[in-house]
Amino acid sequence: MSPGADTVQEHGTVQQLEPPRTERARSIRNVLRLALFGLFFLIVTVGAVAISWGRTSVQLQVGDIARETIKAPETASYISAIRTEDRRQEAFADERNIAETYDETIRSQQVAEVQRLLKEIDAIRADDTKTAPAKATEVRAIANDLDEEQSQSIVSMSQASWTKASSEAVRLVSDTLSSELRSDEVARVKEDLGTRATPALTLTEQTAAVALAKPFIRANVFIDEAQTLANRQAAANAVEPVLVTVQAGQALVRDGDPVTALDIERLEQLGLLQNNLSTSERLGKSGLMVILAFALLAYLYVFSKRLWEGRQLAMLALVIATPIVVARIALPDANVQYILPVAATAMLLAVLLDFQFALVVSSVLALALGVVAGMSFELVFVYFIASATGAFLIWRAERTITFVWAGLGVALATFAVAVCFKAIADDVTSAAVARLAFQSALAGALSASVTFLSFSLLGSLFGITTHLQLLELAHPNQPLLYRLAREAPGTYHHSIVVSNLAETGVELVGGDPLFTRVAVLYHDIGKIVRPTFFVENQANRENPHDLLDPRTSASVIIDHVIDGVRLAKRARLPRPIIDIIEQHHGTTLIRYFYGKALESGEEVSEDEFRYPGPKPRTKEAGVIMLADSVEAAV
């Protein structure tokens, strides 16, 4: 059989020749669909950043007096950045972090200094050319810590007493500095130096020794600044984040009380504080969303025109709008920023449509969510890398275990990017890493679960057939295929041969080979209603058409398409496969029986001998019709 008269073969694809008016109408409908999608995207994204919506919010600042009592609408827990920082500051300032070092050289230096002074005083005492007052003046000049009475006592005492006093001064300096002495202890030690003097000395000798030794007593223990700073930082980093739990109905701010920073933080975490965006901020963020919308529309217009014609555009609107709306409500809570399963959108698009398309949409979505989250470059990076990883791993999924691997990939990607940003912020602690690991694992599990639970539903709602469904439908134990193999074995063999031929052809024209192979297995399923009326199932049997008139025979042949659609719908086969059953003969003419009818001399209309169609509307349908015709002719 040949294609219908109103089709032409061009560049390996089957194209329909439709009236220009019909083609223009279809183009107009497609552009309107795309425009409606763009308008919907703008409403959702611009609304997410420019309009205060969601919970009832208040506008307060630190220092304001609350005009009403505000209570928590629900029980919630959050990490308090303010309390955590306060505790870290306390840990940083703890005196136990101070590291000290003992300088052993101080003792020998000071002993040498006091000995040098004593030698100079010895020389002054031994000079007989000077009077006692002159000697006392010189002593005061080189030891200016001595008063006039002490200087006179030193120059006037006997040599024996001086020897004792000078030796005692050296001993006092040496013994005092042999133990650790801090700067805040020096004054007290100097005051108590007299109690350390040898009791056997006279009062004059003790007084002279103490006066001479006192100036040389100094601290020998100092703070190690570098080690102290390291200790302080380590203590601050070891502080666990402070988890605050607010019970439903708990008063967050009381009427008449001044508003504190902790109050503002509580209101923000529970989403009760109005985001006081300026007009310029709202316009700027809205402008960014408009730019993203036009970028996505341009991509769809140039590279994904096929997407306009079906219900897939509505599906795309749904899977993009859902995370944006959820993020607008949830992202103010820092505890859910990494948990949000944004990667599920890219994974769904990769499974249902195409990996490249999923990658483009995930980049636009990540940028949009970054704007929603307060211009967060970190979340843009996290969401895009996690989405790209999940989409890559789940693309062309042929087993359910692939969803597990994709979820694991999302978790690892989220964790790796989040840890890098924590390291940049110098906030990497064991507790923070453990928390990120838990949140990342939850994000991966949620993304995989959402994708697995929704891809079949979305596929059936929007007429998309996934690889997993196709592989399941290709199994010989499927009820319709099992019946076909048993009740119409010739047709079953014919379908297998056509599937091999069509699959090769579709690969050459850039179609979907797997879908083509599976669709061909079902394209003649209607023949199981009257299998013996088709030549491939007759074997050595008598041809029943020999006993029928041409019109009846043609009607039986045409009915295999109608019966096939009916059986496919009853078996809940995907809509694209039902379309192949309807289109695999197009509106071609059953020429054999049409010719027999003409030979009978009766008045004959071609419409009685044409398949109802419609004509092939996709590359796959066109190739299948050609392959079916070629194999039947052979």
Side-chain angles (χ1 to χ4, degrees):
M1 297 180 188
S2 62
D6 291 335
T7 64
V8 294
Q9 185 176 349
E10 180 181 349
H11 302 299
T13 64
V14 173
Q15 298 182 345
Q16 290 178 245
L17 298 178
E18 297 187 356
R21 186 174 299 174
T22 304
E23 185 64 31
R24 281 198 302 272
R26 177 180 295 178
S27 298
I28 292 172
R29 286 197 303 270
N30 290 340
V31 171
L32 285 176
R33 288 194 188 103
L34 190 62
L36 287 174
F37 169 78
L39 180 62
F40 176 79
F41 183 84
L42 279 175
I43 291 173
V44 172
T45 53
V46 172
V49 298
I51 302 173
S52 297
W53 53 285
R55 291 175 174 168
T56 302
S57 56
V58 294
Q59 189 172 358
L60 288 173
Q61 295 179 351
V62 175
D64 291 349
I65 302 299
R67 298 181 179 179
E68 60 179 333
T69 298
I70 304 173
K71 296 184 178 180
E74 61 188 9
T75 299
S77 297
Y78 64 91
I79 301 297
S80 174
I82 296 176
R83 293 190 179 183
T84 301
E85 184 60 26
D86 287 344
R87 289 196 180 179
R88 287 177 177 171
Q89 289 297 332
E90 290 177 5
F92 185 89
D94 195 327
E95 291 186 357
R96 290 174 292 182
N97 296 324
I98 297 176
E100 297 177 332
T101 180
Y102 171 58
D103 190 349
E104 296 181 351
T105 63
I106 296 295
R107 174 172 171 269
S108 58
Q109 291 173 0
Q110 296 304 98
V111 167
E113 287 294 319
V114 71
Q115 288 176 338
R116 180 188 59 78
L117 176 64
L118 293 174
K119 286 182 180 179
E120 291 180 3
I121 295 176
D122 277 339
I124 294 172
R125 280 172 48 86
D127 189 354
D128 296 333
T129 62
K130 298 177 181 178
T131 63
K135 292 180 181 180
T137 301
E138 286 190 34
V139 169
R140 288 188 63 192
I142 61 174
N144 52 20
D145 290 326
L146 298 176
D147 57 25
E148 184 177 354
E149 182 180 351
Q150 291 171 338
S151 301
Q152 291 176 355
S153 174
I154 288 174
V155 298
S156 61
M157 69 173 53
S158 66
Q159 184 62 36
S161 294
W162 168 244
T163 301
K164 293 179 183 180
S166 58
S167 298
E168 181 66 7
V170 172
R171 187 193 67 79
L172 286 173
V173 172
S174 178
D175 288 354
T176 302
L177 296 181
S178 62
S179 58
E180 295 182 356
L181 182 60
R182 294 166 179 79
S183 57
D184 58 346
E185 300 172 334
V186 171
R188 177 183 56 80
V189 170
K190 285 184 177 182
E191 290 296 324
D192 297 339
L193 198 59
T195 61
R196 298 171 179 259
T198 303
L201 298 180
T202 65
L203 180 59
T204 301
E205 294 168 346
Q206 290 181 3
T207 301
V210 169
L212 291 168
K214 188 178 292 185
F216 297 94
I217 304 300
R218 53 171 292 195
N220 59 9
V221 175
F222 307 96
I223 295 176
D224 187 336
E225 298 292 346
Q227 186 60 46
T228 298
L229 180 60
N231 292 345
R232 292 185 189 281
Q233 290 177 339
N237 292 337
V239 174
E240 297 287 340
V242 178
L243 181 67
V244 176
T245 299
V246 177
Q247 301 296 329
Q250 178 180 339
L252 304 177
V253 178
R254 296 188 181 277
D255 183 18
D257 287 349
V259 178
T260 66
L262 287 172
D263 296 333
I264 295 295
E265 184 183 50
R266 278 197 296 265
L267 293 172
E268 285 179 342
Q269 292 295 332
L270 271 72
L272 299 175
L273 189 65
Q274 181 176 328
N275 188 12
N276 192 22
L277 291 178
S278 65
T279 302
S280 61
E281 257 186 297
R282 294 177 191 272
L283 290 176
K285 290 185 176 182
S286 299
L288 291 176
M289 292 303 191
V290 171
I291 293 171
L292 287 177
F294 275 105
L296 182 58
L297 289 177
Y299 175 81
L300 291 173
Y301 182 80
V302 176
F303 298 106
S304 299
K305 290 186 177 181
R306 187 175 174 182
L307 193 69
W308 309 359
E309 300 182 2
R311 290 170 288 172
Q312 289 94 328
L313 206 58
M315 185 269 292
L316 178 61
L318 176 64
V319 299
I320 289 181
T322 300
I324 291 177
V325 173
V326 172
R328 178 61 179 84
I329 299 171
L331 281 184
D333 187 350
N335 294 318
V336 302
Q337 290 180 344
Y338 294 130
I339 299 174
L340 202 66
V342 177
T345 294
M347 293 164 68
L348 280 170
L349 294 177
V351 170
L352 296 173
L353 297 176
D354 178 69
F355 169 68
Q356 180 183 359
F357 182 74
L359 204 60
V360 172
V361 173
S362 65
S363 64
V364 172
L365 181 60
L367 289 169
L369 292 179
V371 177
V372 172
M375 309 305 294
S376 173
F377 177 70
E378 177 182 355
L379 291 183
V380 171
F381 214 105
V382 169
Y383 291 153
F384 175 71
I385 297 300
S387 297
T389 303
F392 176 77
L393 292 175
I394 208 168
W395 182 49
R396 299 290 187 186
E398 297 182 354
R399 295 183 298 168
T400 53
I401 191 64
T402 308
F403 289 86
V404 177
W405 293 120
L408 181 61
V410 170
L412 292 176
T414 301
F415 178 74
V417 176
V419 167
C420 289
F421 274 95
K422 285 293 182 184
I424 293 172
D426 195 24
D427 194 25
V428 178
T429 63
S430 58
V433 171
R435 187 171 64 258
L436 288 177
F438 173 74
Q439 292 175 338
S440 300
L442 200 54
L446 286 174
S447 297
S449 300
V450 169
T451 305
F452 181 76
L453 293 174
S454 59
F455 84 99
S456 293
L457 175 62
L458 291 176
S460 60
L461 284 177
F462 298 102
I464 302 171
T465 307
T466 67
H467 281 74
L468 281 173
Q469 289 174 289
L470 291 173
L471 290 170
E472 186 179 348
L473 289 172
H475 198 282
N477 286 335
Q478 286 291 328
L480 284 180
L481 292 184
Y482 184 75
R483 283 188 63 189
L484 185 66
R486 289 179 61 86
E487 300 174 25
T491 300
Y492 183 72
H493 179 265
H494 158 76
S495 298
I496 292 176
V497 174
V498 175
S499 70
N500 292 330
L501 185 61
E503 183 179 23
T504 303
V506 165
E507 286 180 349
L508 295 176
V509 299
D512 188 338
L514 178 60
F515 168 75
T516 301
R517 169 176 285 277
V518 176
V520 171
L521 294 178
Y522 288 91
H523 82 290
D524 273 343
I525 204 69
K527 292 182 179 180
I528 62 178
V529 177
R530 301 180 187 88
T532 58
F533 280 79
F534 299 90
V535 65
E536 67 267 21
N537 298 314
Q538 290 171 1
N540 296 322
R541 300 176 185 176
E542 183 179 352
N543 190 342
H545 290 288
D546 294 340
L547 305 175
L548 301 174
D549 64 89
R551 283 185 174 84
T552 304
S553 293
S555 176
V556 171
I557 298 299
I558 291 172
D559 281 348
H560 91 274
V561 174
I562 299 171
D563 292 334
V565 171
R566 176 176 53 82
L567 291 171
K569 288 181 177 179
R570 185 182 300 171
R572 297 175 182 259
L573 294 184
R575 183 69 233 183
I577 292 181
I578 297 176
D579 290 340
I580 294 296
I581 296 173
E582 288 180 329
Q583 299 169 22
H584 79 277
H585 284 301
T587 56
T588 54
L589 184 67
I590 306 176
R591 294 188 179 277
Y592 177 77
F593 293 112
Y594 177 66
K596 287 186 67 175
L598 289 176
E599 291 173 1
S600 68
E602 299 179 12
E603 186 178 345
V604 179
S605 170
E606 282 192 7
D607 292 340
E608 297 178 273
F609 295 87
R610 283 194 183 277
Y611 285 100
K615 300 172 185 178
R617 293 176 176 173
T618 62
K619 292 178 181 180
E620 292 81 3
V623 171
I624 289 171
M625 186 176 76
L626 292 174
D628 188 33
S629 301
V630 169
E631 202 280 332
V634 172

